[in-house]
């Protein structure tokens, strides 16, 4: 997915947020923003937003002298996600359809990652997740269920810290498949890394790897050989969040299921759902010519 002009304000907002997380120095904030303008001016908008963000945040981290400007809020999000998981777990387990309930919670978590950083109360988060248990999901959740039931190997591409804690309710229901969860290879914005996977206990249900990249998405050419092997071997890839959608949707790979809540009009238009609506989107498997004749 190409970068649209509407993406640029979001990239600049992230830049300023990162600067303010690290320092209260207004002069440093201005210097970071001036450098961000310089970076964006020469980047090719034919690249995806995660490609643009990777380049931008590398520069920002260097100027700020911080490898992980979001570490404090990711720690808060991990704690918030753990607390919410234990509150919601009984409802998922007692649901008529536990897999569907866990899928809905995982998608809903994509829309409330910021809240789990301490922005709102635990009660508001839990109530949002409870509402999600009863919301219709746009796309093809039935196709995803069928693909998961047949898969021997499932690769889950994590998105935000905090959100990952709630994804574990879905990981539990992907067995007996061999499940691998891939986090970012280095810190970028508030995306989950190995530290977050360890904090929320992902290894209880899945093998954890990192993708070797510091992009807020999955740029295969930037990922490690180990990750690319896992990607190639997977029968089903569950890709969380807009960054993974923006970077992987152009592949048109029928093994990939995108789980997200669109937060902007660009992504919403691409998935064919309004902003704020939970989406579980998967391409229909290609049929052979012989199948098509019947």
């Amino acid at each position: 997915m190409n970068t649209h002009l509407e993406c640029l304000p979001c990239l600049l907002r992230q830049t300023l947020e990162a600067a303010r997380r690290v320092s209260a120095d207004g002069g440093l904030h201005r210097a970071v923003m001036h450098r961000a303008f310089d970076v964006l001016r020469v980047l090719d908008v034919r690249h995806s937003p995660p490609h643009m963000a990777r380049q931008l945040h590398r520069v920002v981290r260097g100027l700020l002298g911080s490898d992980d400007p979001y570490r404090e809020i990711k720690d808060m999000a991990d704690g918030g996600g753990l607390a919410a998981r234990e509150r919601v777990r009984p409802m998922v387990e007692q649901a008529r359809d536990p897999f569907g309930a866990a899928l809905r919670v995982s998608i809903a978590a994509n829309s409330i990652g910021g809240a789990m950083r301490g922005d709102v109360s635990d009660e508001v988060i839990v109530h949002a997740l409870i509402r999600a248990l009863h919301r219709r999901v746009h796309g093809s959740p039935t196709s995803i269920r069928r693909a998961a039931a047949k898969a021997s190997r499932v690769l889950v591409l994590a998105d935000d810290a905090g959100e990952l804690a709630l994804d574990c309710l879905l990981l539990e229901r992907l067995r007996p498949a061999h499940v691998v969860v891939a986090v970012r290879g280095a810190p970028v914005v508030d995306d989950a890394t190995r530290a977050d996977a360890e904090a929320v206990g992902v290894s209880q249900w899945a093998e954890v790897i990192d993708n070797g990249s510091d992009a807020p998405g999955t740029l295969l050419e930037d990922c490690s050989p180990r990750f690319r092997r896992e990607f190639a071997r997977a029968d089903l890839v569950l890709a969380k969040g807009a960054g993974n959608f923006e970077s992987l949707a152009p592949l048109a790979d029928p093994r990939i299921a995108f789980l997200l809540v669109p937060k902007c009009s660009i992504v919403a238009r691409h998935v064919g759902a309004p902003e704020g609506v939970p989406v579980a989107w998967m391409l229909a498997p290609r049929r052979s010519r012989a199948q098509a004749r019947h």
Side-chain angles (χ1 to χ4, degrees), residues 176-196:
H178 180 80
V179 183
V180 178
V181 173
V183 295
R184 305 298 185 226
V188 59
V189 291
D190 58 351
D191 287 8
T193 61
R194 281 185 181 271
D196 302 292

Side-chain angles (χ1 to χ4, degrees), residues 33-238:
M33 294 303 289
H34 287 159
R35 186 71 181 96
F37 283 120
D38 291 340
V39 171
L40 291 178
R41 189 177 295 120
V42 298
L43 286 177
D44 188 343
V45 294
R46 289 174 295 182
H47 290 301
S48 67
H51 176 97
M52 305 280 274
R54 177 192 62 177
Q55 302 304 107
L56 183 60
H57 283 281
R58 284 177 177 176
V59 171
V60 168
R61 290 195 299 270
L63 285 173
L64 295 175
S66 172
D67 291 335
D68 195 356
Y70 286 77
R71 185 66 262 165
E72 182 180 353
I73 60 173
K74 287 194 287 188
D75 289 340
M76 294 174 65
D78 290 336
L82 279 171
R85 184 173 80 195
E86 296 317 304
R87 293 279 302 278
V88 176
R89 179 188 295 281
M91 301 171 203
V92 171
E93 293 173 344
Q94 295 163 20
R96 180 178 301 177
D97 174 14
F99 182 93
L103 184 70
R104 283 174 167 78
V105 167
S106 177
I107 298 170
N110 182 244
S111 69
I112 59 174
M116 288 186 285
R117 305 186 318 202
D119 296 350
V120 301
S121 71
D122 291 347
E123 290 301 318
V124 171
I125 294 169
V126 171
H127 287 157
L129 293 171
I130 292 171
R131 288 195 300 273
L133 291 172
H134 308 288
R135 290 193 71 181
R136 180 180 178 275
V137 176
H138 175 86
S140 47
T142 301
S143 297
I144 293 170
R145 179 199 300 275
R146 290 171 180 162
K150 294 188 296 184
S152 296
R153 297 187 70 88
V154 179
L155 175 63
V156 180
L157 307 182
D159 190 30
D160 293 345
E163 176 182 343
L164 183 55
L166 289 154
D167 292 337
C168 292
L169 296 171
L170 181 59
L171 300 181
E172 293 180 54
R173 285 157 183 84
L174 293 172
R175 295 170 178 169
H178 180 80
V179 183
V180 178
V181 173
V183 295
R184 305 298 185 226
V188 59
V189 291
D190 58 351
D191 287 8
T193 61
R194 281 185 181 271
D196 302 292
E198 292 171 4
V200 302
V202 173
S203 60
Q204 296 176 63
W205 302 285
E207 179 185 358
V208 178
I209 66 171
D210 69 64
N211 67 3
S213 169
D214 61 345
T218 302
L219 307 177
L220 289 177
E221 70 278 8
D222 193 49
C223 292
S224 67
R226 165 74 190 284
F227 174 83
R228 291 199 297 270
R229 285 195 298 271
E230 290 293 346
F231 186 87
R233 295 173 69 190
D235 302 304
L236 173 64
V237 179
L238 298 178

